[in-house]
Amino acid sequence: MVKSMLIGVTLAAAAGPAFAQSNIAQGNIAQGSAQRNCLHAGAESAADRARRQQAIDYAMKVNVAEMIYGIGPRQNQHYRPLEELANLPAVPAGFAIEFHNDDRGYVLSLKDTRDACRYAIFTDQDRLIYEAVPKTDTGGIVPLGTR
């Protein structure tokens, strides 16, 4: 991500201050010759902010529901499938959900299908909530011993 940001700053400096202010500050990221408009960066609209907050709230409610079900000795703790968890709201519009569980834990991801930058929220049995966008530099193949 740092490499991508450095490339973006270099391109912005070469194009002039107007480009840097309008594109980097608003969350537009240079990727080759294509521009991506990130919904959850810089100038996030009120509607997108509300959808993002609904997704974060959904993840918190899954964590609470799993915690309530899992009260008791750690060796007897089991995690329920998503469809067995009570009082969960609807998944926010535009978010794709994945949920996996077993006796040891669970993992939940909510990915914004409307966002060109592919913003996502993740959580698991540790109940920490992560917000991220994927790394844009695929890196290619790096031979062993060259890093």
Side-chain angles (χ1 to χ4, degrees):
M1 181 165 167
V2 172
K3 183 178 176 184
S4 297
M5 289 178 61
L6 289 174
I7 291 170
V9 169
T10 303
L11 290 173
F19 176 83
Q21 288 176 354
S22 67
N23 286 310
I24 292 175
Q26 293 178 8
N28 295 337
I29 299 171
Q31 184 181 16
S33 61
Q35 294 290 321
R36 297 190 307 169
N37 186 15
C38 300
L39 297 180
H40 303 290
E44 182 179 40
S45 72
D48 289 326
R49 185 174 25 262
R51 285 186 327 104
R52 180 175 55 84
Q53 190 57 52
Q54 288 170 349
I56 292 169
D57 291 345
Y58 185 93
M60 287 189 319
K61 289 178 180 175
V62 168
N63 286 339
V64 168
E66 287 289 5
M67 184 179 68
I68 290 170
Y69 179 75
I71 292 176
R74 186 75 178 157
Q75 67 271 15
N76 295 332
Q77 188 170 9
H78 298 283
Y79 295 97
R80 297 169 104 178
L82 194 60
E83 58 273 3
E84 290 182 15
L85 298 177
N87 300 321
L88 291 181
V91 175
F95 278 86
I97 186 170
E98 283 194 41
F99 184 83
H100 301 282
N101 72 297
D102 62 20
D103 290 345
R104 297 176 302 162
Y106 64 92
V107 64
L108 166 74
S109 71
L110 294 158
K111 298 176 185 176
D112 191 346
T113 61
R114 297 177 184 174
D115 186 20
C117 294
R118 300 183 179 177
Y119 168 85
I121 295 170
F122 299 92
T123 192
D124 62 15
Q125 68 281 345
D126 293 333
R127 297 186 300 277
L128 298 173
I129 296 176
Y130 302 88
E131 300 179 73
V133 292
K135 183 177 176 182
T136 57
D137 176 19
T138 59
I141 297 174
V142 178
L144 289 175
T146 61
R147 277 199 173 175

